[in-house]
Amino acid sequence: MKRAFFSAIVACCALSASAREMTLDECVAYAIDHNLTVRQHELNRQSAEQQVVSAKDAVLPQISAGGQQSWNFGRSLNSQNIYANHNTANFGLSAGLQLPLFNGLQTVRNVDYAKASLVAVVEELEAAKDDIALRVMAQYLQVLYCSELEGVAMAQAELTAEELQRRRALLDAGKIPEADMLDARSQLAQAKLQLVNASNNRRLALLDLAQLLRLESMEDFDVVAIDTKELPLIRDPRSVFDSAMNVNHTIAANRLQITAANKQIELAKTGYIPRLSLNAGLSSNYYRLPGMNNESFAQQFRHNFGQYVGLQLSIPIFDGLQTRNNIRSARIRALSAELNLETQKDNLYKAVNESYYQAVGAREKLAAAEEACEASAAALAAVQGKYEVGLATPIDFENAKNGFVKSMSERAQARYELLLRARILDFYANQ
């Protein structure tokens, strides 16, 4: 019966894998392309790129043009410098240019700050991708674990049904009492209930994975099984942490945020530096006074045409302490960024060591579960032999079978826990 039990499990696992759809790498790639958090970080990156462009464009001159039309009614001075009641009209056009020659290094430092912020935002985008990859990896393995438990439960239900048929035949032959057959029916009902629960757990795990991927429909969606026979190596946590400090995107983003904060301090200090700009412009106007011999529009525009050019120097003396306050605020943000980096280092150290000890614990649990499987299999075979010759009761046989099923479930749990934690360590080390 033990060999039949293993064969049933293999058949059930093959049946559940018949609707395979996506591998782990495909799930991770799909989730990264469709995850809303990753999309938001992508928009943040585009916004940061635009801020760099805007900072560079600040060196360009500002050119403007305008026109004005006015009418005056009532007493006013005329060309003879005498007050009289008349209506006048005035029309003018102008164009001006303002070019910053030196703005206290504000443009240069603003470009440096925008570039530093952009690099930090790019690392934050990669960190968001890493986070969704880890979540998909964990849920993917959870689906596989639930699939294996479903296969065990299905095999147990089939074997319990076979045992029920066997006891019915023995009852018909008058070799066992009816109570034994009724007990077998009860055991089959329990096995079917366990199968329903296992199937539901697998569907829920698959649903959680589909939601991570933001699939529109779960129809025909399944995962590809991975080879879990070869045990993974468990990396040393110290080497993993040292490697992660160099490649982890969250750590890199926090370091770059410190750099950007220091650039912001330098930008705030430009409020103390004088500024020099070039101003130039063109203008002309047309004036009409009723009752007077006014020149034509073209003549007045030609005669009234004027140009100007000038330099404007602005020296900050007292700005209500705004520059000082801006510098202080920037320094506080720099200190906050440094604290965030230390917090992320602590979180990374904790995550690496937790994964390591969980992997070690899962490996030890797996070794114990392997021994339990061998022992329970031997016990099942011994009880089965006694049961077939009437030296063991149906309860003894059922207990032996349940012990074997339990040991197999615990072995599967330990194996997938070890696989997950080992892969997390590999992920931290290599990103």
Side-chain angles (χ1 to χ4, degrees):
M1 182 172 288
K2 183 181 69 173
R3 183 177 301 173
F5 191 85
F6 279 120
S7 300
I9 291 178
V10 172
C12 292
C13 290
L15 182 62
S16 64
S18 61
R20 296 184 206 176
E21 288 284 330
M22 300 177 70
T23 65
L24 176 58
D25 290 338
E26 290 172 343
C27 287
V28 170
Y30 190 93
I32 289 175
D33 289 339
H34 296 81
N35 182 262
L36 296 181
T37 302
V38 174
R39 285 185 176 182
Q40 183 61 56
H41 280 281
E42 175 63 26
L43 293 178
N44 293 342
R45 182 192 63 81
Q46 296 178 15
S47 177
E49 288 180 347
Q50 185 57 45
Q51 290 176 2
V52 173
V53 174
S54 299
K56 292 180 178 179
D57 290 345
V59 301
L60 300 177
Q62 295 184 6
I63 301 175
S64 60
Q68 59 88 21
Q69 171 70 56
S70 62
W71 294 268
N72 297 321
F73 308 97
R75 295 179 62 81
S76 63
L77 288 173
N78 57 22
S79 58
Q80 287 77 32
N81 201 28
I82 299 175
Y83 279 97
N85 289 322
H86 49 242
N87 301 330
T88 60
N90 185 42
F91 173 77
L93 291 175
S94 63
L97 176 145
Q98 185 177 26
L99 175 64
L101 301 178
F102 180 75
N103 64 348
L105 300 177
Q106 183 180 28
T107 299
V108 175
R109 294 181 180 179
N110 195 28
V111 171
D112 291 341
Y113 170 67
K115 288 181 177 180
S117 298
L118 171 60
V119 179
V121 169
V122 170
E123 289 296 331
E124 290 175 353
L125 170 61
E126 296 303 318
K129 292 179 180 180
D130 290 345
D131 179 68
I132 190 63
L134 282 174
R135 293 170 59 191
V136 169
M137 183 191 307
Q139 192 58 40
Y140 190 96
L141 293 177
Q142 180 67 23
V143 172
L144 295 181
Y145 168 63
C146 291
S147 298
E148 187 159 337
L149 293 186
E150 182 186 23
V152 172
M154 187 179 297
Q156 183 182 15
E158 291 182 356
L159 294 179
T160 305
E162 292 177 2
E163 177 62 20
L164 176 60
Q165 294 297 328
R166 179 176 176 276
R167 292 189 188 183
R168 280 178 177 170
L170 292 175
L171 177 63
D172 294 340
K175 295 182 179 181
I176 62 172
E178 186 179 3
D180 289 353
M181 192 273 293
L182 295 177
D183 182 64
R185 290 179 59 184
S186 175
Q187 293 170 6
L188 178 59
Q190 290 294 327
K192 289 181 177 179
L193 178 60
Q194 293 176 5
L195 175 59
V196 170
N197 291 334
S199 299
N200 187 54
N201 290 336
R202 184 184 185 279
R203 283 193 296 268
L204 291 176
L206 198 61
L207 174 62
D208 290 339
L209 179 59
Q211 289 177 340
L212 277 178
L213 272 58
R214 300 193 71 246
L215 295 177
E216 295 181 359
S217 173
M218 280 187 56
E219 186 177 357
D220 297 330
F221 170 63
D222 211 328
V223 298
V224 178
I226 58 179
D227 183 14
T228 60
K229 294 180 181 179
E230 184 177 354
L231 296 182
L233 296 177
I234 302 177
R235 291 176 177 264
D236 177 68
R238 187 65 204 180
S239 63
V240 172
F241 178 75
D242 292 340
S243 177
M245 287 297 296
N246 296 323
V247 299
N248 185 267
H249 293 295
T250 301
I251 297 297
N254 280 269
R255 286 173 176 162
L256 292 170
Q257 286 170 357
I258 294 176
T259 302
N262 291 328
K263 296 287 186 182
Q264 192 175 31
I265 294 175
E266 297 302 317
L267 175 60
K269 291 180 179 179
T270 60
Y272 290 134
I273 304 176
R275 287 163 168 72
L276 178 65
S277 62
L278 170 68
N279 298 312
L282 305 172
S283 66
S284 185
N285 64 80
Y286 168 74
Y287 182 82
R288 186 178 66 83
L289 180 64
M292 299 294 295
N293 185 19
N294 299 295
E295 289 185 322
S296 66
F297 183 88
Q299 289 176 329
Q300 287 198 35
F301 250 69
R302 185 172 61 254
H303 294 159
N304 296 335
F305 180 71
Q307 312 90 37
Y308 74 92
V309 62
L311 297 173
Q312 181 179 355
L313 176 66
S314 175
I315 302 175
I317 297 177
F318 182 74
D319 62 353
L321 303 178
Q322 290 300 310
T323 299
R324 185 204 67 174
N325 294 336
N326 291 338
I327 294 174
R328 289 181 176 179
S329 297
R331 286 174 175 167
I332 292 174
R333 285 190 286 270
L335 292 175
S336 177
E338 293 175 359
L339 291 178
N340 287 338
L341 175 60
E342 294 302 317
T343 300
Q344 292 301 328
K345 287 181 180 179
D346 292 343
N347 292 340
L348 178 61
Y349 183 82
K350 179 181 178 182
V352 168
N353 281 274
E354 280 186 349
S355 296
Y356 171 76
Y357 287 111
Q358 287 172 340
V360 171
R363 183 175 60 187
E364 295 174 351
K365 183 179 179 181
L366 178 60
E370 292 283 2
E371 295 181 1
C373 279
E374 293 179 4
S376 60
L380 177 59
V383 172
Q384 179 185 357
K386 292 181 179 181
Y387 177 67
E388 290 176 351
V389 296
L391 297 179
T393 66
I395 296 178
D396 295 333
F397 175 72
E398 188 64 25
N399 289 337
K401 186 175 64 174
N402 290 337
F404 182 59
V405 170
K406 180 181 178 182
S407 63
M408 291 189 64
S409 300
E410 291 176 347
R411 184 179 64 178
Q413 181 183 17
R415 184 168 63 247
Y416 280 103
E417 178 72 13
L418 173 59
L419 184 63
L420 172 61
R421 301 307 168 185
R423 289 205 173 199
I424 289 177
L425 289 173
D426 291 340
F427 187 86
Y428 280 131
N430 303 316
Q431 292 299 110

